[in-house]
Amino acid sequence: MSHLVYARGISLFANGLFAGVGWCMNGVSVPALKASEKVETGFAITYNNAKKIGASTIIVSSLCHFYIYYHTRNKKALWCGIVSFVSFPYTLLVLAPINKQLLGETEAKRSGQELLRAWDQRQWFRTIAGNAAFLMNIFYY
C-alpha cells in the first residue's frame, strides 16, 4: 500500500473521531451538565478527558491532509486539511476564555449555567466543522 493510502485512512479515522466527540459533547455531555447542580465540577472532568482527544485528532487529521496535498497537489486534500484544522485556532481564540472561567482559572463573570450555555453555542461551530471535514473526507476526495 502507498503511504498516501495510509495517510488518507488515518485522516479519515481522526476526522471521524473528532466528529463523534463533537456530537457527544453537544448531545450528551452538555445536557447532562445542564441538569447538574455544580456545572464546573462536571465540566472539568469532561474537558480534561475530551481535550486530549480533540487536540490529537485535529492535529493528526490536518497533518495527514496536508501531507497528501504536499505529495499530490490535490486541492481537495488541502481543503480537508484547512477545514480539519480550523477548530484549533477557534478553540484557542473563542472557547478558551469560557473554558478558563468554567475551570476556575480566571474569575467567572457569569454563573456556571450561563457560561455552559455560551460554551455550548460556541461548541456547535466545532461540531459542524468537524462533521464537515469528516463528510468532505468521505465524499469530496
Side-chain angles (χ1 to χ4, degrees):
M1 258 200 212
S2 163
H3 57 99
L4 297 173
V5 173
Y6 287 121
R8 174 79 194 286
I10 293 167
S11 72
L12 188 59
F13 181 72
N15 281 142
L17 283 176
F18 186 75
V21 168
W23 284 116
C24 285
M25 293 299 286
N26 288 104
V28 178
S29 294
V30 170
L33 290 170
K34 285 180 179 178
S36 71
E37 291 182 27
K38 187 71 172 150
V39 170
E40 294 84 348
T41 304
F43 182 83
I45 294 166
T46 300
Y47 172 82
N48 286 319
N49 289 323
K51 73 178 180 181
K52 298 166 193 147
I53 298 168
S56 62
T57 55
I58 289 171
I59 292 166
V60 168
S61 63
S62 301
L63 287 175
C64 286
H65 290 301
F66 294 141
Y67 177 82
I68 294 167
Y69 173 74
Y70 177 79
H71 287 284
T72 65
R73 295 298 181 223
N74 180 342
K75 294 221 189 284
K76 293 176 181 180
L78 177 63
W79 279 110
C80 281
I82 291 168
V83 175
S84 295
F85 187 73
V86 74
S87 292
F88 193 80
Y90 179 84
T91 301
L92 297 176
L93 297 171
V94 176
L95 285 177
I98 298 172
N99 291 346
K100 289 179 181 178
Q101 290 178 60
L102 281 165
L103 295 169
E105 295 173 6
T106 60
E107 185 179 342
K109 297 173 178 60
R110 297 179 273 178
S111 74
Q113 288 290 343
E114 291 172 326
L115 288 168
L116 183 64
R117 271 192 298 281
W119 186 90
D120 185 36
Q121 291 169 347
R122 288 160 181 82
Q123 168 61 23
W124 274 108
F125 174 85
R126 287 171 38 107
T127 300
I128 292 167
N131 279 272
F134 184 47
L135 292 172
M136 285 172 66
N137 199 346
I138 294 170
F139 299 111
Y140 183 61
Y141 258 85

